[in-house]
Amino acid sequence: MSGRALLMWDEAVTQYDFGSEHPMDPVRLALTMSLVRAYGLDRAVDVVAAKPAGDSTLRLVHREDYVAAVRAASVDPRHADQAYGLGTVDDPAFAGMHEASALIAGQSVGAAEALWRGEATHAVNFAGGLHHAMPGAASGFCIYNDASLAIARLLELGAERVAYVDVDVHHGDGVQAAFWEDPRVLTISLHEHPRTLFPQTGWPEETGAAGPGEGGAVNVALPAGTGDEGWLRAFHAVVPELLADFRPQVLVTQHGADTHFEDPLAHLAVSLDAQRAVQEACHELAHEYAEGRWLALGGGGYAVVDVVPRSWTHLVGIAAHAPVDPESVIPSSWRDEVYARTRQLGPGRMTDGRWPVGFRDWSEGYDPADRLDQAVLATRKAAFPLRGLLA
């Protein structure tokens, strides 16, 4: 297997644009790629543009009538069918919506194919991670579910075990739904508790369909306000043990940056430094349990200048085996571009000043009165016995 890393990128992904009033501003993608280039990481990876996902690929996950509805809304946004979640406040229709969405999906599917064929060890598509899209409906800023499509393509190519780990602040509901009954896919989502955040799913008791799918879904519902130490503690209390048991052939991870304390749409208090620590952990877990096959996706993230570009540039650096020093001063050329594009001042360093981030390991014991520990316990008790593991 090649030791190279792929960075899936086509400038046209920035056409995934719901409009100037929408929080998912595509400038976050452009600024991330600019920061990747400012650090020279585009020379440490193979930058590849894959073809858009065609209809036969989209139908691996999405219903034919839904794809037709997206196409129709893409031609004439005025006729978007809200029965399919299109033309709503969250998912406004826009001209070219199908093409932009299919292009993002194609990057994730193309990356998955390259990993399975041994053409690369790691691949990053930070434009992807659109994890809320359902088989028959748009949801939560997501039109086509590129993560689910990549996993479905891996299964089509012969994969027997694919693990999906989602650390976006929102529950990875669309991916969970796509593989609810499929024992070949293990989905793990760490997210803000559904009591306080969209999509109001991802309870610990959601563990997969009865029968062969049982135990195939794992959800950690974190209390609002959870910070670095609790977030890392929860991740390490759940994810490594499950992956060690499942032994995936490919690890797919989603790295929404909206867990950050500056994110305007959610209520966790995680720093850039903790996000980087989880990215490193996912990289190590891929090498330990998945023969290095790692597909890393973006996701949410609405602090589009201060947080998203730095977080995903760290992700690219880690995948490229050329990690960016958290203490490094960000090149002035990038900060100039930030101001030119947004009239905002960009951050000065690749850290929030919390590196390295420590946490107390679960093996050291837990406090049954602690809200974070209660959340982890709820997950372990609900899901672990279904996989033959001790809660």
Side-chain angles (χ1 to χ4, degrees), residues 184-235:
R184 297 174 296 174
V185 181
L186 172 65
T187 65
I188 308 170
S189 179
L190 289 85
H191 47 265
E192 185 179 326
H193 201 287
R195 283 198 193 95
T196 54
L197 194 66
F198 173 89
Q200 282 80 52
T201 58
W203 298 79
E205 295 77 17
E206 297 172 32
T207 55
E214 200 166 42
V218 180
N219 289 289
V220 186
L222 300 167
T226 296
D228 288 0
E229 292 185 14
W231 194 62
L232 291 173
R233 176 169 166 79
F235 178 93

Side-chain angles (χ1 to χ4, degrees), residues 9-17 26-27 29-31 100 103-104 127:
W9 178 252
D10 185 317
E11 295 285 347
V13 298
T14 60
Q15 294 172 18
Y16 189 85
D17 186 354
V27 76
L29 303 179
L31 290 177
L103 181 62
I104 290 173

